[in-house]
Amino acid sequence: MWGRGVVRLICSLLGIIVGMAGSLALGLVPTDDMAGFITAPMIAIPEPHYLAYDFRFSLIPAFLMAGTAAMLRTVGLITTCQKINDADWKRPDLGPIQRGILADGIGCMVGGLLGVMGMNTAPSLVGVSKATGATSPYIAFSCAAILVV
C-alpha cells in the first residue's frame, strides 16, 4: 500500500503470497489439503452433479429483505466508486448506479442457478482500490476475463 508503481498495484497479491507462505511454514495447512490443491488441474470444467434446486415460499420475505439490503449496499459502493474516480464529485450519477445494480443482480442470479454461495459487492475491495489507486476499467475488464475463463 505504501509502495510505488507495480508493487503498489499488486499489494493484495503479495499479501496472499506472504500469508500462504507463512501458513505453510507454520503448518496451518493440512498436508491432505495441499496434496489435493497441488494435484488439481489448472483448468477444468465444473462437474454439475452436485446441483439441486428447491423452492420454499416461507423464505420469500427473508429473500426480499436480503435482496433489498444487498441492493442498497451496491448503491453505496457504486456511489463511493464514483466519488473516488471524480475529484469534482458533487452527487451520484444514477445511470451507472442502475447499470451496476442490474449487473450485480444478473451475476447473483447466474451464480444462484449454478449453485454457488450468496454473492454481493465487496466494500473491502473498493477500499483496496482507493488505497492502491488501481481504479482503471482495464483492470476490471482483465479480472472479469480471467474469472470467465
Side-chain angles (χ1 to χ4, degrees):
M1 229 167 42
W2 297 281
R4 295 193 187 282
V6 174
V7 172
R8 183 174 179 182
L9 292 174
I10 62 169
C11 67
S12 298
L13 178 62
L14 292 174
I16 290 170
I17 291 170
V18 169
M20 189 64 186
S23 63
L24 288 171
L26 295 172
L28 298 174
V29 178
T31 55
D32 293 342
D33 290 349
M34 276 311 295
F37 176 74
I38 291 171
T39 59
M42 181 67 80
I43 297 175
I45 296 173
E47 297 178 19
H49 68 275
Y50 64 88
L51 289 178
Y53 297 101
D54 188 21
F55 186 85
R56 297 183 189 167
F57 286 101
S58 62
L59 295 177
I60 289 176
F63 178 81
L64 292 175
M65 288 189 310
T68 302
M71 185 253 331
L72 291 173
R73 181 181 192 174
T74 302
V75 169
L77 287 173
I78 293 172
T79 303
T80 302
C81 290
Q82 288 178 356
K83 190 173 182 180
I84 289 170
N85 287 318
D86 185 3
D88 298 327
W89 186 84
K90 300 285 186 223
R91 65 188 57 83
D93 184 2
L94 297 181
I97 292 174
Q98 283 180 319
R99 291 188 299 273
I101 291 170
L102 179 64
D104 183 52
I106 290 170
C108 290
M109 185 174 63
V110 170
L113 291 172
L114 294 174
V116 301
M117 294 173 43
M119 302 179 293
N120 194 236
T121 53
S124 58
L125 300 178
V126 173
V128 169
S129 294
K130 181 174 176 23
T132 61
T135 60
S136 169
Y138 294 113
I139 296 171
F141 293 138
S142 300
C143 290
I146 290 168
L147 291 173
V148 166
V149 170

